[in-house]
Each structure stands twice: as C-alpha cells, then as structure tokens.
Amino acid sequence: MDAGALFQQLATQYGYWGVFAVSILGNATIIFPLPAIALVYALGSVFDPFWLGVSAGIGASIGELTAYFVGYGIFAMAGNKYRESKAYKAASGMLKKYGMAAIFLFAATPLPMDVIGMVAGFQRYNLLVFFLAMLPGKLIKMWLVAYAGKYSFDLVLALFENAYLGYGMLALVIVSGYFIYKKFESDLK
C-alpha cells in the first residue's frame, strides 16, 4: 500500500482525528514530502472545511517540529559547518530580520517550511515562539486548501476526467513551473 492510499484510508476511517494524524506524518518528513495537503484538498469536498482546516493545521504544525529538531541536532553535531551555505544564510537572514513574521509567512505559503524550521532549530530559536508563529500560518493555509476543495474539487475532478483537457492542464502547470524555476534559479544556488 502506498503512502497516498494509507493516508486516504486513515483520514476517511478516522475522520478529523485521521486527518490530524495524516497531517502530522505528512509534515514530519523533510526529504520526501508526503501528499497530506492534497488529501486535505480532496476531503474539503466531504468534511466541514473549518474543522478539517483546524485538525490539519494543528497536525501540520506538530509535524513541522521535526525540522526544528533536525536543525537543533545538526547544530549539536556539526557546529558552524552549515553556516556557510547560501540557503542557510538566506533563511537565517530572514529569521533574524523578521522573526515570527518570517515563520508565519513560510507556514502560510508554499515556501519551504522545513528550511526555516531547521534554521530556527540550528539557531536555538525559542521552541514555543516558533510553534506559536507557525500555528496560525498552518491554520490559514489548511483552511484555504480545505475551502478550495469544498468549492472546486468536483470541477477539477470533472476536468481531469476528460483526459486531453487534464493532460493539457498538467502540461501548463509543468511549463509554468519550469519558467518560474528558471526565473529564480540563480537565487536558489
């Protein structure tokens, strides 16, 4: 059974508690993201989006703490070795300059929350402050995803049932993603 099928079974069998568990697991991964947010979108058409967003947002916030603890552990093991990387310097600068606002922004958007979480742990940022800045961002993000699922899931499903239209939309997303990547490629190195 693949991770997506397992997540779907957990969420549908156990309701909001299942979504909570799936969100913890889906956000606890650092290298291989799991499709918890896609499940929240799909379940938005079935569950109450408000409570779905609450259970997914709290679960996602708890799951994201793994990035914080990984950063905390890297500091203990490697010391200053990672402070020279461009990604660390960029995230560290944002965290120092904007603090809780940077954490909130990363939590509420598709920006890589794992990066800011590891940097926060590496810098020994206060864990409670980190969590309290992340939680409202994750709640807003999950509410938006759940409500988007409520109002658009059937339309998206209908579009992808038409294979040509679905493949065309997928190609458009991939091409758009490529051009966005190329635009910001130099900033990522």
Side-chain angles (χ1 to χ4, degrees):
M1 178 181 285
D2 67 349
L6 175 65
F7 280 9
Q8 184 177 9
Q9 181 184 0
L10 269 173
T12 54
Q13 186 174 355
Y14 297 105
Y16 297 114
W17 287 108
V19 171
F20 174 75
V22 164
S23 293
I24 291 174
L25 294 172
N27 287 274
T29 60
I30 294 175
I31 297 172
F32 301 108
L34 296 174
I37 199 163
L39 187 63
V40 172
Y41 174 77
L43 291 175
S45 65
V46 180
F47 291 173
D48 180 330
F50 179 81
W51 293 111
L52 181 64
V54 169
S55 61
I58 294 171
S61 295
I62 292 169
E64 287 291 353
L65 291 176
T66 57
Y68 179 92
F69 290 122
V70 165
Y72 199 91
I74 288 173
F75 180 82
M77 294 183 329
N80 292 327
K81 180 179 177 183
Y82 290 96
R83 290 183 190 257
E84 301 305 315
S85 75
K86 192 172 184 178
Y88 174 82
K89 287 179 181 179
S92 176
M94 287 184 73
L95 190 59
K96 285 180 183 175
K97 186 173 182 179
Y98 301 108
M100 291 178 70
I103 296 166
F104 173 82
L105 178 68
F106 273 70
T109 64
L111 292 171
M113 185 65 204
D114 292 336
V115 173
I116 203 87
M118 286 190 283
V119 169
F122 195 79
Q123 291 182 353
R124 301 296 198 257
Y125 202 86
N126 183 299
L127 179 61
L128 182 61
V129 171
F130 174 76
F131 185 79
L132 292 176
M134 178 177 48
L135 180 61
K138 287 290 185 182
L139 286 170
I140 289 169
K141 181 178 181 177
M142 293 303 172
W143 278 324
L144 288 172
V145 170
Y147 277 101
K150 177 178 181 161
Y151 294 111
S152 69
F153 184 73
D154 292 334
L155 173 66
V156 170
L157 196 59
L159 288 175
F160 279 96
E161 284 178 353
N162 179 339
Y164 295 113
L165 185 58
Y167 290 134
M169 290 180 67
L170 181 61
L172 178 66
V173 168
I174 290 170
V175 169
S176 299
Y178 173 77
F179 284 117
I180 291 169
Y181 172 77
K182 281 299 193 183
K183 179 165 177 54
F184 296 104
E185 182 177 25
S186 62
D187 294 337
L188 298 172
K189 292 182 182 177

